[in-house]
Amino acid sequence: MTWTQLGDIKRRYTKVTLVAGDLEVMRAWPGYEAAGFPDDEYELPAGEVMIFDLNLLQPIVFHADGAVRLLASFDDMGSKNVDEATLHSAVELPGSDEVWGAFEVESGALALVCADWPASELALASTDRPMVGHGFAVIPCPNGRYEVSQAASVEVAGAKLGRLITLTIRRAT
């Protein structure tokens, strides 16, 4: 699988919790506080979304063939202090196969949003192309059920403390 780096989901606060779901479902995300600080899953009017973090570190987003891989460095600087070779070797490493949770995609795209704020940034997002903006990412993908893996720590030469955290969102088989 060939992974394409989209960029970092830039956070608004010092720690990041993420919400993932179908793009159209995610447009109704009210923000973490307004949602009552839920764990793992949350039901919005149009469907269910997943809530998770990568040890509350800023994620770097990659996508390939209907899958998304998130990497987080322990220095909490996204890709700023991790060179391209290190990132590309890390994204190829297997993470956890254990499923954390799942959600349905019916609009042709999935969205990742920093949980602390409402998803108003998604107003301009479309299913035409992948994009990363301030606090969000949108990735076109085939419709279906998507599974979110457990976060895993992987050993990577050149990474701060020699490790990165990885998490994968992929279409269920």
Side-chain angles (χ1 to χ4, degrees):
M1 188 175 297
T2 302
W3 294 94
T4 302
Q5 184 177 346
L6 294 179
D8 301 1
I9 295 179
K10 294 179 178 49
R11 60 181 181 243
R12 294 187 167 137
Y13 295 115
T14 56
K15 303 297 179 190
V16 179
T17 300
L18 295 173
V19 183
D22 177 85
L23 173 61
E24 293 306 318
V25 172
M26 286 296 298
R27 290 185 201 274
W29 175 249
Y32 204 46
E33 185 175 352
F37 303 103
D39 291 330
D40 297 341
E41 297 172 353
Y42 186 77
E43 191 72 31
L44 289 168
E48 192 171 74
V49 296
M50 285 293 307
I51 301 164
F52 59 89
D53 64 60
L54 299 170
N55 286 2
L56 299 174
L57 301 173
Q58 179 172 296
I60 308 156
V61 182
F62 291 81
H63 80 99
D65 303 326
V68 176
R69 174 131 325 144
L70 303 177
L71 295 177
S73 62
F74 283 97
D75 67 1
D76 201 21
M77 298 297 289
S79 59
K80 184 177 179 181
N81 293 334
V82 184
D83 64 72
E84 291 296 313
T86 300
L87 285 177
H88 288 285
S89 67
V91 78
E92 297 296 335
L93 295 172
S96 174
D97 287 330
E98 189 175 337
V99 175
W100 188 341
F103 58 88
E104 295 290 331
V105 170
E106 297 177 354
S107 70
L110 65 86
L112 300 162
V113 177
C114 288
D116 295 334
W117 288 64
S120 56
E121 300 88 351
L122 295 177
L124 300 176
S126 74
T127 60
D128 296 339
R129 61 182 174 82
M131 63 185 292
V132 175
H134 190 77
F136 76 95
V138 173
I139 299 96
C141 61
N143 290 341
R145 187 149 185 85
Y146 282 78
E147 296 176 336
V148 179
S149 76
Q150 289 286 344
S153 178
V154 294
E155 288 188 36
V156 181
K160 178 139 178 132
L161 304 177
R163 305 186 78 66
L164 292 174
I165 295 173
T166 185
L167 178 141
T168 304
I169 301 171
R170 70 172 53 99
R171 193 163 183 213
T173 55

